[in-house]
Amino acid sequence: MAYLNAHYLKLKAGYLFPEIARRVKAFAEQHPDVAPRIVRCGIGDVTEPLPPACIAALHKAVDEMARRETFRGYGPEQGYEFLRAAIAENDFRARGLEVADDEVFVSDGSKCDCGNILDILGHQNTVAIPDPVYPVYVDTNVMAGHTGPADESGAYAGLRYLPCTPANQFVPEPPREPVDVIYLCSPNNPTGAVATRAQLQAWVEYALKHQSLILFDAAYEAYIADPALPRSIYEIPGARECAIEFRSFSKNGGFTGVRCAYTVVPKSLLAMDDQGQRRPLHPLWNRRMATKFNGVSYVVQRAAEALYTPEGKAQVRQLIDHYMGNARILREGLQDSGLTVYGGQNAPYLWVKTPAGWNSWQAFDALLQQIQVVVTPGSGFGAQGEGYFRVSSFNSRANAEEAARRFRQMKW
Ligand code: MLT
């Protein structure tokens, strides 16, 4: 008899984005006349082509793979040295932050890394998760058996939820009691809020005091335009002793379909073993990668490396400017329709309060039916997301302008 992992049975319905896609497909089938009008501002998926510097690097790497002398088989599971060095140098050391090349682990995505990191953490940890939040943090903890069942609001027993509301500008404060593992995401998905230096400092102080671990998701750091806002947790003194940082090429280089990301695990980061002794996490993550992963393809790592060339950096800038231009256009359309809009200033997501009396899915349905614009219902990100919806600015300029025009026509 084979037993299944019963923790999966606790998961709520489907993963949020497939569920939205299912509802949109059903709508399109029922209304073929308006289906071609649908504008998708739901999932945060890039629309613009890869930067030319990446395309050139991909072509060159493919040609290398075509010749016996330059062909490559398995690469290092942790990433090629050329990419680890480019990352550590450009994203950290050039900004005065201490990160060694071998503290960078190249992977095929931050979503995978955020889930896989649980492999090296103990089951006895109490886990604190902001609410609303990127659903992967919660669902992977459910799958790993770190929670009890969910209640009607979707909150799982055993998790410590940190409410993010207008009262705290959607940035959670450290709780009064100790927790062992804390997820933070800044710039935030879904709210678009960005933690200030003082807010991150409070978290680092808390983590050092309680010997907790911060899992810091910085997948959207490239969208921070305000130089006063921290782009890495390692800008905060002490973070190398309490934080792992996740970064991605998905939203800066447009790699959602190419797949490349990385995780920084400082060698100075310790966690407790069963005998009460503090040991480094770095060798465990290294071991995990070596055992369960065979690395990102050579051609993709060459494409990621090209993002750090002067041309690559300028082209990334253009992509970010494009999406942030969309954010401004969408924000204005939403505000003109009388809605309260948060985020979208140092982040690609707009977090919109539904009109009084409307819940998130009602707003989702009304927007789809009346103006054929797809958004993401806030309640899909957690109980505190109820009464909001998220608008993604990852789109063509024409679609962003069209969505903004239709938001203005919306009758609530
Ligand atoms: C989102 O829409 O929240 C993102 O596309 C999710 C992701 O990056 O996995």
Short mmCIF file of all heavy atoms in Angstrom, two decimals, residues 46 72 107 113 128 134 171 198 217 220 225 310 314 331 394 402:
data_model
loop_
_atom_site.label_atom_id
_atom_site.label_comp_id
_atom_site.label_asym_id
_atom_site.label_seq_id
_atom_site.Cartn_x
_atom_site.Cartn_y
_atom_site.Cartn_z
N VAL A 46 5.69 38.76 -17.42
CA VAL A 46 6.24 39.77 -18.33
C VAL A 46 5.71 39.57 -19.75
O VAL A 46 5.35 38.45 -20.14
CB VAL A 46 7.78 39.73 -18.32
CG1 VAL A 46 8.31 40.18 -16.98
CG2 VAL A 46 8.31 38.35 -18.69
N ARG A 72 29.15 21.73 -23.50
CA ARG A 72 29.15 21.51 -22.04
C ARG A 72 28.07 20.49 -21.67
O ARG A 72 26.95 20.60 -22.16
CB ARG A 72 28.80 22.79 -21.27
CG ARG A 72 29.52 24.01 -21.75
CD ARG A 72 30.58 24.37 -20.78
NE ARG A 72 31.23 25.61 -21.18
CZ ARG A 72 31.80 26.44 -20.32
NH1 ARG A 72 31.79 26.18 -19.04
NH2 ARG A 72 32.39 27.53 -20.75
N SER A 107 19.61 29.14 -9.52
CA SER A 107 18.52 28.16 -9.61
C SER A 107 17.60 28.49 -10.78
O SER A 107 17.81 29.47 -11.49
CB SER A 107 17.71 28.17 -8.32
OG SER A 107 16.84 29.29 -8.34
N ASP A 113 12.88 28.05 -5.12
CA ASP A 113 13.78 28.23 -3.98
C ASP A 113 13.01 28.49 -2.68
O ASP A 113 13.36 27.96 -1.62
CB ASP A 113 14.76 29.39 -4.24
CG ASP A 113 15.85 29.01 -5.25
OD1 ASP A 113 15.94 27.84 -5.62
OD2 ASP A 113 16.60 29.91 -5.65
N ALA A 128 6.21 32.59 10.73
CA ALA A 128 5.40 33.81 10.63
C ALA A 128 5.33 34.24 9.17
O ALA A 128 6.36 34.28 8.47
CB ALA A 128 6.01 34.93 11.47
N TYR A 134 2.32 36.29 -1.01
CA TYR A 134 2.55 35.42 -2.17
C TYR A 134 2.19 33.98 -1.72
O TYR A 134 2.77 33.47 -0.75
CB TYR A 134 4.03 35.53 -2.53
CG TYR A 134 4.52 34.72 -3.70
CD1 TYR A 134 3.77 34.60 -4.87
CD2 TYR A 134 5.78 34.12 -3.66
CE1 TYR A 134 4.26 33.88 -5.95
CE2 TYR A 134 6.27 33.40 -4.74
CZ TYR A 134 5.50 33.28 -5.88
OH TYR A 134 5.99 32.57 -6.94
N VAL A 171 3.27 46.89 5.67
CA VAL A 171 4.55 46.28 6.04
C VAL A 171 4.40 45.73 7.45
O VAL A 171 4.10 46.48 8.39
CB VAL A 171 5.71 47.31 5.99
CG1 VAL A 171 7.02 46.65 6.44
CG2 VAL A 171 5.86 47.87 4.58
N ALA A 198 14.31 51.47 8.29
CA ALA A 198 13.98 51.34 9.72
C ALA A 198 13.12 50.09 9.96
O ALA A 198 13.32 49.37 10.96
CB ALA A 198 13.25 52.59 10.21
N ASP A 217 12.40 37.75 0.35
CA ASP A 217 12.14 37.63 -1.08
C ASP A 217 12.28 39.01 -1.71
O ASP A 217 11.45 39.89 -1.50
CB ASP A 217 10.72 37.06 -1.27
CG ASP A 217 10.39 36.79 -2.72
OD1 ASP A 217 11.15 37.24 -3.61
OD2 ASP A 217 9.36 36.14 -2.98
N TYR A 220 11.53 41.58 -6.63
CA TYR A 220 11.12 42.81 -7.33
C TYR A 220 12.02 44.01 -7.00
O TYR A 220 11.63 45.14 -7.21
CB TYR A 220 9.66 43.14 -6.98
CG TYR A 220 8.70 42.04 -7.41
CD1 TYR A 220 8.33 41.02 -6.52
CD2 TYR A 220 8.20 41.99 -8.70
CE1 TYR A 220 7.48 40.00 -6.92
CE2 TYR A 220 7.36 40.97 -9.11
CZ TYR A 220 7.00 39.98 -8.22
OH TYR A 220 6.15 38.98 -8.62
N ALA A 225 12.85 52.66 -7.12
CA ALA A 225 13.47 53.84 -7.72
C ALA A 225 13.98 54.78 -6.63
O ALA A 225 14.93 55.53 -6.86
CB ALA A 225 12.45 54.56 -8.60
N PRO A 310 27.22 46.39 -19.55
CA PRO A 310 26.67 47.75 -19.61
C PRO A 310 25.41 47.81 -20.48
O PRO A 310 24.42 48.46 -20.11
CB PRO A 310 27.82 48.58 -20.21
CG PRO A 310 29.05 47.80 -19.86
CD PRO A 310 28.67 46.36 -19.86
N ALA A 314 21.47 48.64 -19.21
CA ALA A 314 20.66 49.72 -19.81
C ALA A 314 19.34 49.13 -20.33
O ALA A 314 18.27 49.76 -20.20
CB ALA A 314 21.43 50.38 -20.95
N ARG A 331 -2.68 53.17 -12.51
CA ARG A 331 -3.02 53.85 -11.25
C ARG A 331 -3.97 55.01 -11.53
O ARG A 331 -4.98 55.17 -10.85
CB ARG A 331 -1.73 54.34 -10.59
CG ARG A 331 -1.90 55.46 -9.58
CD ARG A 331 -0.55 55.94 -9.11
NE ARG A 331 -0.05 55.04 -8.09
CZ ARG A 331 -0.34 55.16 -6.79
NH1 ARG A 331 -1.11 56.14 -6.36
NH2 ARG A 331 0.12 54.32 -5.92
N PHE A 394 2.52 44.31 -15.53
CA PHE A 394 3.26 43.58 -16.56
C PHE A 394 2.35 43.42 -17.77
O PHE A 394 1.47 42.55 -17.79
CB PHE A 394 3.71 42.21 -16.03
CG PHE A 394 4.76 42.32 -14.96
CD1 PHE A 394 4.46 42.04 -13.64
CD2 PHE A 394 6.05 42.74 -15.28
CE1 PHE A 394 5.43 42.15 -12.66
CE2 PHE A 394 7.03 42.85 -14.30
CZ PHE A 394 6.72 42.56 -12.98
N GLU A 402 -5.48 50.63 -22.54
CA GLU A 402 -6.85 50.17 -22.75
C GLU A 402 -7.51 49.80 -21.41
O GLU A 402 -8.67 50.16 -21.16
CB GLU A 402 -6.85 48.97 -23.71
CG GLU A 402 -8.21 48.36 -24.01
CD GLU A 402 -9.18 49.32 -24.68
OE1 GLU A 402 -8.77 50.38 -25.19
OE2 GLU A 402 -10.40 49.02 -24.64
#
